[in-house]
Amino acid sequence: MEKKGLLVVVSGFAGSGKGTLMKELVKRYKTYALSVSATTRNPRPGEVDGREYYFKTTEEFEQMIEEDAFVEYARYVNNYYGTPKKYVFDQLEAGNDVILEIEIQGALQIQKKFPEALLLFVTPPDAITLKNRLVGRGTEDAATIDLRLARASEESQGIEEYDYIVVNDDLEECVLTMHSIIQNEKYKTFRNLSFINEIRDGLKSFAKGD
């Protein structure tokens, strides 16, 4: 079977809990590598450069764009977000499944560049829960929350582009569901063509009497 890692793209509305979900998934299962994105937004309380994000100035980020240093990048609510290339490619070659937690714009870029990538969209069970989570975080003012809700409405139009939708109502159940989806995806025939060809070649040798 194929030993190269699987590229997994996870998107979701702000407030869907995808960040918490990703951290729990990586902590529980050691075969996952969570790619750290670069961003021009300011750090939130408790966030550390190089752990949650690589925090960049707008000038630094645009220089990285010029150097073609990103797998994808996008501008979201007045800030840049992007996925650095090197870490992603190194981890895939090492056989690890790389999770990219990115916005829908970036996810669609990945889908075009890497059609074999698995796209998952995380959502709360309903719109009211989403708003309550955003307000409950207490990290943003009302105007920013309104922007995020408006953005979520726009993003909802692109959910059909994803392979699976994952409802994050219960964290424990959601982690198990996401892990099962990713692992089962590895057994799809198009991801194992070299293995299939090996089986065919072996059977041909029997047919020839070898």
Side-chain angles (χ1 to χ4, degrees), residues 58-77:
T58 299
E59 292 75 18
E60 288 172 335
F61 198 103
E62 290 178 345
Q63 180 62 37
M64 292 178 73
I65 294 174
E66 288 294 319
E67 295 169 354
D68 193 29
F70 293 113
V71 174
E72 58 75 35
Y73 70 91
R75 196 170 179 89
Y76 173 73
V77 191

Side-chain angles (χ1 to χ4, degrees), residues 17-113:
K18 61 185 182 297
T20 301
L21 176 59
M22 293 303 94
K23 287 176 184 175
E24 185 63 27
L25 193 71
V26 171
K27 182 174 76 173
R28 192 173 302 188
Y29 305 103
K30 303 306 180 184
T31 57
Y32 295 120
L34 181 59
S35 176
V36 178
S37 297
T39 184
T40 57
R41 79 157 170 77
N42 292 324
R44 293 177 184 147
E47 289 185 331
V48 176
D49 182 52
R51 187 180 67 188
E52 281 78 17
Y53 285 96
Y54 296 111
F55 294 100
K56 304 291 183 181
T57 64
T58 299
E59 292 75 18
E60 288 172 335
F61 198 103
E62 290 178 345
Q63 180 62 37
M64 292 178 73
I65 294 174
E66 288 294 319
E67 295 169 354
D68 193 29
F70 293 113
V71 174
E72 58 75 35
Y73 70 91
R75 196 170 179 89
Y76 173 73
V77 191
N78 301 321
N79 284 299
Y80 281 117
Y81 294 81
T83 303
K85 274 184 181 179
K86 187 177 186 307
Y87 178 83
V88 172
F89 292 160
D90 287 350
Q91 290 294 321
L92 288 174
E93 288 300 324
N96 294 320
D97 301 320
V98 178
I99 299 176
L100 309 185
E101 183 193 331
I102 55 181
E103 307 301 333
I104 192 167
Q105 290 172 273
L108 297 182
Q109 289 181 42
I110 293 290
Q111 189 181 50
K112 288 179 181 178
K113 292 180 182 177

Side-chain angles (χ1 to χ4, degrees), residues 1-2 186-204:
M1 300 290 281
E2 300 285 357
K186 294 180 179 181
Y187 294 94
K188 283 192 172 179
T189 52
F190 84 89
R191 298 188 187 279
N192 294 284
L193 295 180
S194 63
F195 174 75
I196 292 167
N197 287 330
E198 286 178 13
I199 295 291
R200 284 177 177 154
D201 290 342
L203 292 172
K204 285 177 184 177

Side-chain angles (χ1 to χ4, degrees), residues 97-188:
D97 301 320
V98 178
I99 299 176
L100 309 185
E101 183 193 331
I102 55 181
E103 307 301 333
I104 192 167
Q105 290 172 273
L108 297 182
Q109 289 181 42
I110 293 290
Q111 189 181 50
K112 288 179 181 178
K113 292 180 182 177
F114 307 98
E116 73 280 5
L118 173 64
L119 272 63
L120 308 177
F121 194 91
V122 179
T123 178
D126 52 60
I128 294 298
T129 300
L130 179 63
K131 183 175 181 178
N132 289 342
R133 287 180 184 176
L134 287 170
V135 173
R137 291 197 306 198
T139 58
E140 296 163 332
D141 58 27
T144 302
I145 290 173
D146 286 343
L147 278 175
R148 293 197 179 279
L149 290 171
R151 174 66 175 174
S153 180
E154 294 173 4
E155 289 175 333
S156 69
Q157 303 304 314
I159 294 175
E160 294 91 341
E161 300 297 326
Y162 287 74
D163 297 302
Y164 295 88
I165 186 167
V166 181
V167 178
N168 188 13
D169 191 10
D170 176 89
L171 180 62
E172 175 68 20
E173 182 179 337
C174 196
V175 169
L176 293 174
T177 297
M178 184 167 284
H179 178 64
S180 294
I181 289 172
I182 295 170
Q183 296 309 309
N184 290 337
E185 185 73 14
K186 294 180 179 181
Y187 294 94
K188 283 192 172 179

